[in-house]
């Protein structure tokens, strides 16, 4: 089920109504939420619900074993959990990738291996719920959280439907307290949640699907004819699409949770206003970047082993972060580019600091524009179907020719809307959207909701799956 | 709580008024609600082909999509559940292949196809929808589509032509009002064309231009390149027949220059007749049936919606005459199907 479907509208109204039925115990409310979460996930592909339940149940049991073992005996249980989770992810997400690359490697040494095609269907959200469950097991291993004794509560932590399929990736210590304290829909939560839900749907339906996707898609289609203006416009449109698609989903998720009385962490904070790549990763997909920091970068040694060690860890983290997004070398290249930018930024930090002091606010703006340029260049690798296509777009971008076709109205509108989006990010770069919404009065809130509803209803078109569902 | 309710009331009143005003404005200009075809709508019908007790599935392109009258089908052949899987502008072999691979499908397929439909470039034309059905269609999408059908049947603003973006683009480009469609679908994907509103000459002009471009004769596809797809299709037919279903390859009627061009492009004796002799499917060439051969076709290819019942009756008559369908009700039709001949010479 997706937030932008009519099915979800009906589903969510029923869930909110049932969750708030008078006289229900907190345990009964949690049962309702768990049943709703299973229905939400099962409505996409019922058999994969069993996979979700099975995978989460195994982690729950392993964590209990870990918690009951002496500290020096916990490691085997953690290894089982790592193997189980990463094995599951590897099979469903990277099976074809591994097979194709093994075949290519064997071909280099003269072995002709023709394995059968797997044709594996990727369970939606597997990367998200696997990482969420994995972080819980690692936290229990480290002794940072207490193991959850209730399987129902643990399944609700992993399967809570607002964040189940595309994040934010929630940490157990952020969610466990919410599982223990009875919650229900409050006036403040309803107002904030509905505001966020409508903003998220606006981003997804109006901006991502209606404005940006039709301009971005043709450029990245195999066999597309690409000129300079088209390459830039398509790339900028994709930058708008992926932000509005993914941030839209996260905003909907946070909004739905708020309407049920739950708090989920922010996942985006005006990322296109980032001044520098480290700043970008503090603003883009925050729940993943902090996950990678805490469970990969720091265990690798972080910045504790000297400059070269730190730079190596940065590169490794970003390479694996790229691979997390998809089983293709283009995603690894995207991660490598970001890693390289982080390395360069770290190496040239003294010079950057000096320039910032000299130029002040202008320096921040220049840094922001340079970062945006780098992020745009990197998106080409993220979206292109293969290296050749990405190279073709880059060549077109950086060799302006006289043969560029004039831009159509759709492309011009997409550029204007991206300009507006970028301006919003700069204006709100130090602001918290939730706080801003809480400060609105009833009339201005009503006006905002009305404008969003009208724009959403008047944007029927091709319904596109959320991009991050494939990750 | 007061703040939330006040904001909600303001939003609903303002948004409702604005949307109602936009709806009224388009309706005042003569636009009406229509069902918009989409992969979800097709998938709903594709699912029905699997779970129906005895489906009669119509495959093909626009000629079938806009020609079959569902009510006539239901009345004349009550044992069958009509399912429309034809797609505008796309040949149907990918869907036939999919039905053959579906162990739950045991129905009767009426596959509207001509010589070009068996050519290699036509093979995967319907594959995107087939892939969507298997990889993305879900119970949730089905429920969404059923709800969307109600919205599209009742609101003209559900059409993407009236979206904010399309309106902005039209304004930017100085374009006129959106296209007024003269063809439409019902919620089960049975289509209708109103030639009082349509341009009957456009298709004729397109064909004439194509013929002119190729010096009066469309370039033929060599028989040895064409035949492998026929052999593949025959394997799919046998798979369906092995489960108790059946397939009728049906060449629907054309007229005028189109009839001449199709005969010139894929001469019947060199293509269709050889396919008919080799396949275990039943074959029906409409030119062999007087009631179908002389059917009025305003653009030489499609049927006006007012003629659909008559055309569907003529097709049913041809099928009954050959003993390929039963007019019995659902509960006693098994025996009639069992009596069907295994293979028939085309056109007889």
């Amino acid at each position: 089920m997706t937030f932008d479907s009519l099915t979800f509208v009906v589903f969510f109204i029923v869930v909110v109504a049932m969750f708030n039925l008078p006289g229900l115990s907190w345990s009964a409310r949690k049962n309702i939420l768990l049943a709703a979460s299973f229905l939400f996930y099962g409505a996409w592909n019922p058999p994969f619900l069993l996979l979700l339940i099975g995978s989460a149940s195994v982690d729950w049991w392993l964590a209990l074993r870990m918690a009951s073992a002496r500290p020096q005996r916990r490691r085997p249980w953690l290894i089982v959990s790592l193997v189980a989770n990463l094995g599951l992810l590897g099979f469903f997400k990277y099976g074809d990738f591994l097979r194709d690359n093994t075949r290519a490697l064997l071909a280099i040494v003269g072995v002709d291996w023709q394995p059968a095609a797997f044709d594996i269907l990727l369970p939606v959200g597997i990367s998200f719920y696997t990482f969420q469950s994995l972080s819980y097991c690692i936290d229990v291993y480290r002794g940072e959280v207490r193991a959850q004794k209730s399987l129902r509560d643990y399944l609700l932590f992993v399967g809570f439907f607002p964040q189940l399929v595309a994040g934010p990736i929630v940490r157990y210590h952020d969610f466990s307290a919410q599982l223990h304290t009875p919650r229900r829909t409050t006036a403040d939560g309803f107002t904030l949640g509905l505001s966020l839900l409508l903003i998220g749907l606006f981003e997804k339906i109006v901006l991502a699907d209606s404005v940006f996707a039709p301009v971005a898609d043709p450029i990245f289609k195999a066999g597309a004819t690409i000129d300079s203006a088209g390459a830039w416009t398509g790339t900028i449109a994709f930058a708008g699409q992926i932000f509005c698609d993914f941030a839209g989903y996260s905003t909907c998720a946070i909004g739905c949770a708020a309407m049920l009385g739950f708090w989920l962490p922010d996942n985006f904070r005006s990322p296109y206003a980032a001044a520098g790549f480290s700043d970008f990763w503090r603003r883009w997909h925050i729940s993943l970047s902090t996950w990678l920091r805490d469970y990969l970068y720091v265990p690798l040694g972080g910045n504790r082993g000297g400059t070269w060690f730190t730079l190596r860890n940065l590169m490794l983290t970003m390479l694996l972060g790229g691979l997390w997004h998809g089983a293709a070398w283009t995603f690894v290249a995207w991660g490598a580019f970001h890693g390289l930018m982080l390395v360069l930024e770290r190496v040239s930090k003294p010079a950057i600091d000096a320039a910032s002091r000299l130029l002040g606010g202008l320096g921040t703006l220049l840094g922001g524009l340079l970062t945006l340029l780098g992020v745009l260049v990197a998106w080409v690798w993220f979206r292109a179907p293969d290296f050749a296509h990405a190279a073709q777009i880059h060549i077109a971008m950086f060799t302006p020719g006289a043969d560029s076709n004039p831009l159509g109205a759709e492309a011009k509108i997409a550029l204007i809307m991206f300009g507006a989006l970028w301006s919003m990010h700069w204006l709100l770069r130090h602001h918290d959207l939730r706080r801003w919404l809480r400060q609105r009065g009833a009339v201005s809130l009503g006006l905002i909701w009305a404008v969003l509803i009208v724009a959403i209803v008047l944007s029927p078109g091709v319904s596109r799956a959320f991009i991050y569902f494939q990750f | 709580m007061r703040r939330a309710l006040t904001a909600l009331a303001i939003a609903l009143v303002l948004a409702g008024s604005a949307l109602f005003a936009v709806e009224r404005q388009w309706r005042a200009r003569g636009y009406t609600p229509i069902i918009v075809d989409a992969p979800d709508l097709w998938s709903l019908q594709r699912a029905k082909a699997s779970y129906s007790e005895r489906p009669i599935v119509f495959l093909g392109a626009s000629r079938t999509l806009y020609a079959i009258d569902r009510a006539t089908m239901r009345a004349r052949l009550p044992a069958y559940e009509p399912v429309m899987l034809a797609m505008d502008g796309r040949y149907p072999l990918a869907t036939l292949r999919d039905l053959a691979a579906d162990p739950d499908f045991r129905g009767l397929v009426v596959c509207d196809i001509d010589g070009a439909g068996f050519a290699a470039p036509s093979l995967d034309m319907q594959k995107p929808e087939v892939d969507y059905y298997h990889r993305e269609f879900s119970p949730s999408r089905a429920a969404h589509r059923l709800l969307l059908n109600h919205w599209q049947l009742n609101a003209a603003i559900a059409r993407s032509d009236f979206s904010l973006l399309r309106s902005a683009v039209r304004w930017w480009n100085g374009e006129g009002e959106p296209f007024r469609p003269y063809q439409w679908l019902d919620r089960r994907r049975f289509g209708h064309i109103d030639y009082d509103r349509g341009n009957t000459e456009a298709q004729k002009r397109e064909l004439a231009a194509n013929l002119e471009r190729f010096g009066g004769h469309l370039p033929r596809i060599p028989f040895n390149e064409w035949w492998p797809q026929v052999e593949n299709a025959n394997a799919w037919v046998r798979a369906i027949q092995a489960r108790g279903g059946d397939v009728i390859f049906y060449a629907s009627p054309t007229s005028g220059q189109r009839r001449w061009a199709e005969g010139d492009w894929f001469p019947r004796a060199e293509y269709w007749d050889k396919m008919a002799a080799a396949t275990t499917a039943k074959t029906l060439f409409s030119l062999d049936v007087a009631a179908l051969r002389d059917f009025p076709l305003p653009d030489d290819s499609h049927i006006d919606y007012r003629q659909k019942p008559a055309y569907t009756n003529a097709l049913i008559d041809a099928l009954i005459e050959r003993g390929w369908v039963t007019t019995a009700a659902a509960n006693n039709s098994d025996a009639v199907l069992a009596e069907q001949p295994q293979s028939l010479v085309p056109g007889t």
Side-chain angles (χ1 to χ4, degrees), chain B residues 59 92-102 123-124 127 130 236:
Chain B
L59 301 187
L93 279 190
T95 306
L96 181 67
R97 176 176 59 198
D98 180 52
L99 291 172
D102 180 354
L123 178 62
D124 285 334
K127 189 171 180 292
V130 170
W236 304 330

Side-chain angles (χ1 to χ4, degrees), chain B residues 177-196:
Chain B
E177 291 190 344
F179 172 70
R180 290 169 196 274
Y182 57 93
Q183 77 273 48
W184 67 97
L185 300 182
D186 63 26
R187 62 197 168 88
R188 294 187 180 91
R189 292 190 74 258
F190 285 82
H192 314 266
I193 301 179
D194 180 359
Y195 276 110
D196 282 353

Side-chain angles (χ1 to χ4, degrees), chain A residues 322-369:
Chain A
L323 196 59
W324 177 89
H325 283 84
W329 288 110
T330 46
F331 288 109
V332 179
W334 173 76
F337 182 88
H338 272 274
L340 196 64
M341 291 299 109
L342 287 170
V343 165
L344 284 176
E345 195 175 299
R346 201 170 186 95
V347 169
S348 52
K349 194 168 185 309
I352 292 170
D353 288 345
S356 292
R357 279 194 297 275
L358 192 69
L359 295 169
L362 183 63
T364 310
L365 183 62
L366 280 174
L369 287 171

Side-chain angles (χ1 to χ4, degrees), chain B residues 107-185:
Chain B
L108 175 64
V109 178
V110 179
C111 182
D112 180 355
I113 193 164
D114 56 18
F118 284 105
S122 308
L123 178 62
D124 285 334
M125 281 184 165
Q126 296 189 357
K127 189 171 180 292
E129 270 73 10
V130 170
D131 289 346
Y132 180 88
Y133 171 68
H134 288 289
R135 302 189 80 89
E136 294 182 50
F137 189 62
S138 63
S140 164
R141 295 302 307 172
H144 167 75
R145 184 62 224 197
L146 291 171
L147 292 167
L148 186 62
N149 282 351
H150 285 286
W151 174 240
Q152 290 187 346
L153 282 168
N154 290 291
I157 53 172
R159 260 182 73 183
S160 59
D161 284 335
F162 304 146
S163 73
L164 287 176
L165 181 75
R166 297 309 317 159
S167 301
V169 168
R170 274 197 304 276
W171 171 80
W172 192 303
N173 291 335
E175 294 169 9
E177 291 190 344
F179 172 70
R180 290 169 196 274
Y182 57 93
Q183 77 273 48
W184 67 97
L185 300 182

Side-chain angles (χ1 to χ4, degrees), chain A residues 1 10 15 61 110 114-115 130 132 151 160 210 214 245 268 284 300 302 314 365 381 412 415 454:
Chain A
M1 207 180 293
V10 175
V15 170
W61 183 79
Q114 297 295 337
T130 303
Q132 191 156 312
L151 176 60
F160 184 50
S210 186
D245 189 283
F268 293 89
W284 179 273
L300 281 170
L314 267 178
L365 183 62
W381 298 98
K412 289 174 184 165
L415 290 177
V454 170

Side-chain angles (χ1 to χ4, degrees), chain B residues 17-31:
Chain B
S17 307
L19 292 171
F20 182 72
V22 177
E23 174 77 15
R24 269 195 68 171
Q25 177 243 343
W26 286 118
R27 290 211 186 204
R29 295 182 192 188
Y31 291 96

